[in-house]
Structure formats: C-alpha cells, structure tokens
C-alpha cells in the first residue's frame, strides 16, 4: 500500500471523526516519522509492512473515539510538544490565552527586586506553568538570577508524573531548579504566598462534562467536572463552580499583597466566576475573550 493509499484508507475508515483526513494524516506522520510535506512528495512510495500494520492498528484505536493526542502521546501547546496520557487533560489552544495574560503580568513585574513566586494550580500536564517558564527564559524577561520560582500543583500523582516528564523534556536542566511539584488538594499542602496564581481547574457543568466524554475521548473526568467539592462529592448544582467556590477564596488567602489570580472558566460560567472574585475581595476583575470571541479567562488582583 502506498502512502497515499494508506492516507485514503484511514480517512475512509474514520467515518465518525469530524476530521477524518487530518486524523489519518497525523497518524501516518506518527508511524512513518515523516513530515506532512514529506508524505505529500512521497505519496507514491510504498509504506513498509511494519508501519502499515501499526497504522491500521492506530486507526482502529481512533475509531473508538480515543483522541489523537493520547494515541501519539503528544500535543502541541504554545509551540511546544507536550507529553500527554489519559491521566491529564489534553492541552487546548484556547488555554494559550492564560499563558499570554500571565506573561503580561510577569512582564509588568520585571523591575521587582526579589524573586517572584508563581503557582500553577491543577497543573495537569504542566502546559501552563512550563510554557510560562520557558517563555520567561527565551524572551529573557528576567535576569537569570531573578527568574521566578514555579510551583506546579495537582491532586493527582499520575498527573504530576506527566508534568515532571514535560519539565525534563522542555526545560533545560540548569533552570529546572526553579520548578517544584506538589501534590495537594488545592492549597492544603501549600503554606507559601504567591505573586501570581494561574489555574485551569475543572469548570464544566457535570451534565456537559459527561456528554463531552460520550464519544470515548477518555479525558479524565476529574479534570473536567466542576460540579464536585474538594472531597470529590457531587454538588448537584450543575453550574461547574464546585471547585471554583473553593479555589477563589483559597487563592486570595495565598496571594501576596497586590498578587494576581488568573483562571480559565470558559463560556460556561465566566460571569459567575467574576462575581466570585469580587465577593472574595478581588478588585480590577476582568474577563478576557478567546480567539473565537467566547469568554475564556477571568483575572483579579488582591
């Protein structure tokens, strides 16, 4: 079977996928090790039997609804490839806005004569905190000796293992001492005060979260369902704010004076999240829109 025939075979068989041809091409790139351009110019070349067998096997996995990112073990975020497993949420393009806003906040603090502390709460794959650190290094926002300290927090030990692997892959060894990983139920194990707290917590209403998983995408419900309390019990509110109602006041307590909290809450409950910010003492509360014009991030200052 030629590369073109394999590509057509994959697209034809992924009838339930809204992006069948793209999925087929991504899996073909993965098994062949070729770029999109190489596949195009070598379309009449025969695909080796071992690669063809692997490709057909992965097409079958994709037919179950399993996301491409979990099949290949990687997902691009902020121009970097992050390792992902079903233990973490797949990084989404809309979440890049959170990194952009955090970069603006950090840049405004570059004249501070002390090392800043940043917390990435509910870190998952570490894509937010590690992208922010990597950008600080690449853009030279701070002198090396003043590079902020990053604390990446998650309640899931398996998620933290994924984040650690991404730190090893994406952050040069000389800078990794700026990152620490803490397993904690929100701030329970964190006595520190932070200058910036970032979070993409579970915020999707329970019914919506279940419907998102109907296609077999296998993302962890723990990272999606916002209608649980700190002990994993259902709140029955179906507004997606179960975690947010604890996160916002705890963040206020763990922010240094004039500190900033930035969270992703999406179109589901951004207005309600902003109201929580104000009720808990935050000022200068704003909601930012993503590229599609949906309410995405909420920011507030202590």
């Amino acid at each position: 079977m030629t590369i073109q025939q394999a590509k057509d075979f994959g697209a034809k068989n992924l009838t339930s996928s809204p992006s069948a041809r793209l999925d087929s091409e991504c899996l073909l790139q993965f098994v062949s090790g070729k770029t999109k351009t190489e596949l195009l110019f070598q379309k009449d070349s025969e695909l080796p039997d071992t690669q063809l067998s692997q490709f057909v096997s992965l097409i079958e996995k994709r037919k179950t609804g399993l996301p491409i990112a979990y099949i290949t073990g990687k997902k691009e975020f902020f121009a970097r490839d992050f390792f992902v497993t079903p233990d973490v949420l797949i990084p989404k393009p809309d979440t890049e806005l959170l990194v952009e806003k955090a970069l603006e906040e950090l840049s405004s603090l570059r004249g501070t004569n002390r090392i800043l502390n940043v917390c990435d709460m509910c870190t998952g794959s570490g894509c937010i905190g590690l992208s922010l650190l990597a950008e600080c290094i690449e853009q030279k926002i701070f002198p090396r000796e003043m590079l902020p300290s990053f604390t990446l927090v998650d309640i899931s030990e398996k998620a933290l293992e994924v984040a650690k692997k991404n730190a090893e892959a994406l952050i040069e060894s000389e800078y990794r001492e700026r990152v620490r990983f803490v397993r904690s139920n929100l701030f329970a194990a964190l006595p520190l005060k932070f200058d910036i707290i970032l979070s993409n917590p579970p915020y999707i209403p329970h019914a919506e979260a279940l419907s998102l998983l109907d296609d077999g995408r296998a993302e962890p419900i723990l990272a999606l369902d916002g209608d649980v309390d700190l002990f994993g019990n259902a709140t029955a509110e179906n507004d997606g704010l179960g975690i947010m109602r604890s996160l916002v006041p705890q963040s206020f307590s763990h922010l240094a004076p004039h500190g900033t909290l930035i969270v992703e809450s999406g179109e589901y409950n951004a207005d309600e999240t902003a109201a929580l910010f104000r009720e808990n003492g935050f000022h200068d509360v704003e909601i930012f829109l993503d590229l599609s014009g949906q309410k995405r991030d909420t920011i507030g200052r202590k």
Side-chain angles (χ1 to χ4, degrees):
M1 187 179 289
T2 66
I3 287 176
Q4 184 61 51
Q5 289 171 333
K7 189 185 300 185
D8 293 340
F9 167 84
K12 183 179 179 180
N13 277 270
L14 295 175
T15 54
S16 61
S17 171
S19 54
R21 184 156 293 278
L22 178 61
D23 291 352
S24 179
E25 189 172 272
C26 287
L27 293 177
L28 200 52
Q29 287 179 246
F30 178 67
V31 301
S32 68
K34 298 182 185 295
T35 65
K36 182 177 181 178
T37 301
E38 288 172 334
L39 289 180
L40 179 63
F41 282 100
Q42 299 175 31
K43 64 180 181 178
D44 295 323
S45 299
E46 289 289 320
L47 193 66
D49 289 343
T50 54
Q51 292 182 12
L52 177 59
S53 177
Q54 183 185 8
F55 176 68
V56 172
S57 176
L58 296 187
I59 289 293
E60 289 301 311
K61 287 186 178 181
R62 180 65 185 123
K63 284 168 67 175
T64 68
L66 191 66
I68 294 290
Y70 288 154
I71 295 174
T72 63
K74 65 179 181 179
K75 178 65 176 179
E76 183 178 326
F77 181 84
F78 228 85
R80 297 174 182 85
D81 282 337
F82 279 82
F83 169 64
V84 293
T85 75
D87 294 309
V88 299
L89 197 65
I90 297 170
K92 306 296 192 295
D94 288 335
T95 302
E96 293 186 358
L97 178 64
L98 190 56
V99 179
E100 292 170 2
K101 292 302 175 184
L103 274 171
E104 292 175 8
E105 288 296 311
L106 278 177
S107 296
S108 71
L109 298 172
R110 71 176 76 203
T112 306
N113 58 358
R114 60 181 176 81
I115 294 176
L116 299 169
N117 286 313
V118 179
C119 176
D120 176 10
M121 178 59 67
C122 306
T123 190
S125 66
C127 65
I128 296 171
L130 295 177
S131 293
L132 186 57
L133 172 57
E135 289 298 316
C136 284
I137 295 169
E138 290 185 12
Q139 296 185 30
K140 296 181 171 60
I141 294 175
F142 298 90
R144 179 172 173 175
E145 67 276 8
M146 297 300 292
L147 193 66
S149 173
F150 286 77
T151 301
L152 275 55
V153 186
D154 206 285
I155 194 173
S156 167
E157 188 63 48
K158 290 183 177 179
L160 287 174
E161 289 302 318
V162 172
K164 289 174 184 176
K165 287 185 178 180
N166 281 319
E168 292 171 2
L170 299 171
I171 305 299
E172 295 178 32
S173 57
E174 60 192 291
Y175 298 111
R176 284 184 216 141
E177 64 180 19
R178 294 296 197 189
V179 187
R180 70 170 188 155
F181 303 87
V182 178
R183 184 182 182 186
S184 179
N185 190 350
L186 295 187
F187 293 91
L190 289 169
L192 296 175
K193 295 280 188 177
F194 299 97
D195 298 286
I196 297 179
I197 296 174
L198 312 168
S199 186
N200 180 16
Y203 61 77
I204 300 176
H206 179 69
E208 294 278 355
L210 291 179
S211 67
L212 286 174
L213 299 178
D214 280 344
D215 63 359
R217 67 179 62 187
E219 290 189 275
I221 190 69
L222 180 69
L224 294 170
D225 190 351
D227 286 315
V228 295
D229 61 21
L230 291 182
F231 306 100
N233 301 312
T235 64
E237 296 287 347
N238 201 39
D239 60 6
L241 295 172
I243 298 297
M244 203 74 77
R245 289 189 179 96
S246 296
L247 172 65
V248 174
Q250 286 191 31
S251 294
F252 191 86
S253 297
H254 285 79
L255 278 171
H258 312 296
T260 301
L261 171 64
I262 314 175
V263 302
E264 178 173 320
S265 56
E267 70 276 18
Y268 297 99
N269 45 41
D271 291 322
E272 292 80 0
T273 298
L276 278 175
F277 272 50
R278 296 185 183 98
E279 290 168 11
N280 285 278
F282 286 94
H283 62 86
D284 296 335
V285 178
E286 296 180 79
I287 296 173
F288 293 98
L289 308 182
D290 59 28
L291 291 176
S292 63
Q294 296 277 13
K295 294 176 180 179
R296 182 61 50 188
D297 293 342
T298 304
I299 185 172
R301 294 177 175 81
K302 184 173 179 177

